[in-house]
Amino acid sequence: MKRLFSPILFTAAAVAALPLAAQTPPTVGWPANRPPDQTAPPAKPPQATQTPPATKPLATTPPAPGAPPAQQAVGTPPPIPLPQWFVEIDTDKKGEVTRADFLKYRMRSFEELDTNKDGKLTLEEFVKVAEPPFSQDVPNGPTLEERKNRARSEFQNLDTNRDGFVERAEAEALVHSEFNQYDTDRDNKVTEPEVRLIVQRSLAREAAERQQIEARRRQGMAAINDFMDMQLREADKLDKNNTAS
């Protein structure tokens, strides 16, 4: 969805409970975060080696012009990616995002959906979030009608005072809740180390879940194999008994 308003609208219930990319980074979602290019720094030029005093230092051949930079050292883990929202907000590369900037960024879609500019969204306005340009059809993804049904359900979650509108204050409360998940030291700004740590933990959880799924799959396959072996052994016994008789 445009400008990541989907975390506000389509994961409202999850954010309230917290985390993932409230999201939990995201991603799911925190949705596809494209980190900035973070290539390894170029290698330092080789130093001239010295031989014993009686001889001249051995000259080294400088790298050829246009040669590619040195590759990342073997065994060094890749840098933890930053969520796309962090990259888009931190345009001056200060390495931090303030609460005010985060709120402004997240609320842009609210302002676009609020076509009559009355500071609140009706159900009719809100459901537009399921349509282009806020949401696009993707292969094997939910249909337009499915997205609209989900939007209607999320509208009820966001309308906390049950007045039939999603007011600006209600949407902002959700954005502040999301920001609080990243602002671990409560200084009203999210720094790169804070968000990278959360992303790292999210990736670790996902890896652990994948391992558990794979372990259960293997256990299931092992159980099937054991069952088949048992059936074959029983069949062999029957064949031998029939032959003996």
Side-chain angles (χ1 to χ4, degrees):
M1 292 193 175
K2 194 174 183 181
R3 295 194 183 91
L4 294 183
F5 194 49
S6 54
I8 297 177
L9 303 184
F10 285 104
T11 59
V15 169
L18 175 141
L20 199 237
Q23 292 118 251
T24 340
T27 325
V28 174
W30 202 98
N33 294 325
R34 301 184 301 278
D37 292 336
Q38 301 194 34
T39 56
K44 294 181 179 180
Q47 300 292 328
T49 56
Q50 298 288 337
T51 58
T55 61
K56 295 181 179 180
L58 297 176
T60 58
T61 304
Q71 297 297 319
Q72 183 172 317
V74 176
T76 302
I80 301 299
L82 288 169
Q84 185 63 15
W85 60 261
F86 193 101
V87 177
E88 293 182 2
I89 298 175
D90 185 27
T91 55
D92 55 2
K93 307 304 179 186
K94 294 190 300 182
E96 64 182 36
V97 169
T98 66
R99 182 181 293 272
D101 287 339
F102 186 83
L103 179 65
K104 180 179 179 181
Y105 176 84
R106 284 291 198 225
M107 291 298 292
R108 287 177 183 174
S109 292
F110 180 98
E111 294 166 358
E112 292 175 7
L113 290 169
D114 183 18
T115 54
N116 61 0
K117 305 306 176 187
D118 61 352
K120 56 187 178 183
L121 301 179
T122 64
L123 178 59
E124 182 181 1
E125 288 175 321
F126 185 87
V127 170
K128 295 292 184 182
V129 77
E131 304 173 4
F134 299 99
S135 181
Q136 305 290 339
D137 291 325
V138 295
N140 301 319
T143 64
L144 174 60
E145 190 57 34
E146 288 172 338
R147 295 197 303 269
K148 285 185 175 182
N149 288 337
R150 189 176 179 184
R152 294 184 185 100
S153 177
E154 291 302 333
F155 182 89
Q156 302 303 321
N157 294 331
L158 287 171
D159 181 18
T160 55
N161 62 5
R162 299 295 183 264
D163 64 351
F165 301 96
V166 173
E167 299 169 359
R168 172 175 288 275
E170 290 172 322
E172 288 183 348
L174 187 63
V175 176
H176 285 300
S177 177
E178 179 184 354
F179 185 87
N180 290 340
Q181 309 311 319
Y182 296 110
D183 183 19
T184 55
D185 60 2
R186 297 296 184 265
D187 62 351
N188 286 320
K189 62 184 178 182
V190 177
T191 63
E192 282 194 18
E194 285 177 317
V195 75
R196 287 188 194 276
L197 179 59
I198 292 175
V199 172
Q200 183 179 33
R201 289 173 176 172
S202 176
L203 294 175
R205 284 195 300 271
E206 292 176 1
E209 290 172 359
R210 287 194 299 269
Q211 290 176 352
Q212 291 176 358
I213 292 172
E214 178 63 17
R216 288 195 295 269
R217 187 188 69 82
R218 291 180 179 178
Q219 289 175 354
M221 292 298 296
I224 292 173
N225 290 336
D226 290 343
F227 177 77
M228 293 177 64
D229 289 342
M230 181 183 68
Q231 294 297 315
L232 290 173
R233 287 194 296 270
E234 292 296 328
D236 288 341
K237 288 180 182 179
L238 291 173
D239 289 343
K240 290 178 181 180
N241 291 337
N242 292 334
T243 302
S245 59

